[in-house]
Amino acid sequence: MIIGVPKEIKDNEARVGVTPAGVKALTEAGHKVLVETMAGTQSGFPDSEYQNAGAEIVGEAGYVWGKSEMVVKVKEPIEPEYVFFREGLVLFTYLHLAPLPGLTGKLLESKVIGIAYETVRDRQGTLPLLTPMSEVAGRMSVQVGATYLEKERGGRGILLGGVPGVPPAHVCIVGGGVVGSNAARIALGFGAKVTLVDINLNRLRELDDIFNGRIYTLASNSYNLAQATAEADLVIGGVLIPGSTAPKIVTRAMVANMKKGAVIVDVAIDQGGCVETARPTSHSNPSFTVDGVVHYCVTNMPGAVPNTSTLALTNATFPYLLRIAIKGARQALKQDPGFAEGLNTWLGTLTHRGVAESQGRAWTSPADVLG
Ligand SMILES: NC(=O)c1ccc[n+]([C@@H]2O[C@H](COP(=O)([O-])OP(=O)(O)OC[C@H]3O[C@@H](n4cnc5c(N)ncnc54)[C@H](O)[C@@H]3O)[C@@H](O)[C@H]2O)c1
């Protein structure tokens, strides 16, 4: 198979879909890999490393997309990339289609086979290709939040851990999945007081156990959320309903009731955000203020630490990518129902229920289209 690795062009996105180690394994298995020049430079992988691993370095994105049977990326394509879509092209990347009806329409119109990292499931039912980036974003959310709490950045001028004689900041984490538990780990490490809110009581039991009672757990309802956000210096949003738009459970009224100079890091913004006042931002202009509360809503947070992120992401995506290369998309997906859940668009048909429901479109199950 000819596999293409274009350079990411989304604002400040420095990750890359395949590392030189991946190229080596693919070329050893008899495949051809086209890497756009400088695709990996910002992740710490120069063209020469790709070349030494067996890749062909290509000067133009259009050539990489046009010659490849499968394109492997990190972020969802943005408008200048839509012209490269064509019938039968396999696109393996994060797609986050639920809040993006425009991109969904383009993928369907041009009959691309769109396989989304974020909806692939493993045997345990978890999301193995979302996990590594959620680990990064969860851990990062606290260090970002700590910085925005500084006076100079518009924050309350509070040190997360406090000092002897001065109480620590209060961090409220909404959603106790991968993002939430990683955020909790780092916030505890900083010495903050941590409250974690989740709707799943079993998850709260697990977290209570994992953190040995060092975090406060709260069942998610609007009453508890109103109270926890009003008390918080830093709110971290990490709610997910897989494949669907995030529910806006932190309402405008709750934000208005927060302390002035408090900070919200809505990590769930890539699925629309779980805070009503949140809107997507980018690394070059990451924050804005509503009702005196600083909002940080960058949709691709791991892009800020591209070396760690690329290695973490490709560790997880590579085995799937290799299976598509060896067996072709249809067989690779058919043989693994969890992998097939990653299929979002198949030759003009929408194949993901969550995306369909979020956009009011019709859908067909992956099993039906794969035959
Ligand atoms: N902005 C970024 O750069 C970035 C990076 C990585 C992940 N993310 C996003 O972060 C979000 C969280 O990802 P994750 O891997 O932690 O997901 P996850 O599935 O591991 O966790 C989600 C948690 O939300 C909880 N939840 C669902 N409904 C809730 C409600 N009403 N109230 C409280 N909790 C509720 C679930 O019980 C679950 O524990 C996703 O939208 C993901 O795409 C964003």
Side-chain angles (χ1 to χ4, degrees):
M1 189 180 266
I2 304 178
I3 298 145
V5 187
K7 180 170 161 41
E8 294 295 323
I9 57 171
K10 191 164 174 166
D11 181 59
N12 274 295
E13 179 52 71
R15 289 171 293 173
V16 59
V18 181
T19 61
V23 169
K24 184 162 183 287
L26 284 167
T27 48
E28 278 173 359
H31 306 288
K32 182 170 174 175
V33 188
L34 306 177
V35 177
E36 187 180 347
T37 183
M38 313 271 285
T41 313
Q42 294 188 75
S43 287
F45 308 119
D47 287 353
S48 57
E49 252 191 72
Y50 282 103
Q51 225 155 6
N52 291 340
E56 186 182 318
I57 304 295
V58 172
E60 232 187 281
Y63 187 90
V64 175
W65 283 83
K67 292 286 174 204
S68 303
E69 295 161 85
M70 166 163 60
V71 164
V72 184
K73 272 173 56 63
V74 178
K75 286 310 284 183
E76 74 282 355
I78 58 174
E79 249 179 271
E81 294 171 310
Y82 293 179
V83 294
F84 302 136
F85 294 171
R86 62 168 202 278
E87 183 166 352
L89 174 74
V90 177
L91 177 61
F92 190 40
T93 187
Y94 285 117
L95 284 173
H96 295 294
L97 291 183
L100 298 174
L103 174 59
T104 309
K106 282 282 172 210
L107 289 171
L108 291 172
E109 225 171 82
S110 43
K111 302 194 169 158
V112 167
I113 297 172
I115 307 172
Y117 293 163
E118 73 277 5
T119 60
V120 171
R121 285 193 188 271
D122 59 17
R123 287 215 177 88
Q124 290 72 45
T126 67
L127 304 164
L129 306 188
L130 194 59
T131 304
M133 291 307 96
S134 292
E135 289 167 342
V136 172
R139 289 178 183 216
M140 220 184 119
S141 65
V142 179
Q143 78 188 45
V144 165
T147 311
Y148 278 94
L149 276 171
E150 291 172 12
K151 197 78 205 156
E152 205 189 339
R153 296 286 194 106
R156 303 190 65 220
I158 284 198
L159 185 64
L160 268 194
V163 289
V166 182
H170 190 158
V171 178
C172 169
I173 301 171
V174 188
V178 182
V179 164
S181 55
N182 277 276
R185 181 179 301 270
I186 300 300
L188 279 180
F190 266 101
K193 177 182 168 198
V194 179
T195 299
L196 197 145
V197 187
D198 202 292
I199 202 159
N200 177 344
L201 292 183
N202 283 333
R203 181 62 183 158
L204 290 181
R205 289 186 184 104
E206 239 170 57
L207 291 168
D208 185 62
D209 244 12
I210 293 170
F211 290 108
N212 214 0
R214 287 183 302 143
I215 59 169
Y216 299 82
T217 54
L218 256 189
S220 181
N221 58 50
S222 60
Y223 185 88
N224 284 346
L225 272 170
Q227 216 160 26
T229 50
E231 283 169 14
D233 301 295
L234 169 59
V235 171
I236 293 171
V239 167
L240 174 68
I241 299 173
S244 302
T245 310
K248 309 248 181 242
I249 56 175
V250 176
T251 61
R252 183 172 288 275
M254 291 179 197
V255 173
N257 211 20
M258 284 174 66
K259 298 173 192 166
K260 300 304 160 208
V263 174
I264 294 175
V265 177
D266 194 351
V267 184
I269 194 68
D270 60 344
Q271 294 292 125
C274 60
V275 177
E276 200 176 351
T277 45
R279 57 173 164 77
T281 62
S282 63
H283 286 293
S284 49
N285 194 8
S287 67
F288 59 93
T289 301
V290 178
D291 285 335
V293 176
V294 182
H295 291 54
Y296 174 100
C297 309
V298 173
T299 49
N300 58 335
M301 291 174 65
V305 286
N307 187 276
T308 303
S309 299
T310 291
L311 289 166
L313 175 64
T314 55
N315 279 344
T317 54
F318 189 75
Y320 289 95
L321 153 61
L322 190 61
R323 271 196 265 158
I324 302 176
I326 293 171
K327 300 176 180 176
R330 186 189 288 270
Q331 278 312 316
L333 294 165
K334 254 180 99 162
Q335 288 172 2
D336 178 349
F339 190 14
E341 286 197 47
L343 188 64
N344 279 220
T345 62
W346 175 266
L347 304 173
T349 304
L350 186 62
T351 50
H352 195 276
R353 182 205 288 264
V355 175
E357 284 174 355
S358 292
Q359 297 185 13
R361 291 180 191 260
W363 75 291
T364 307
S365 78
D368 285 343
V369 295
L370 293 169

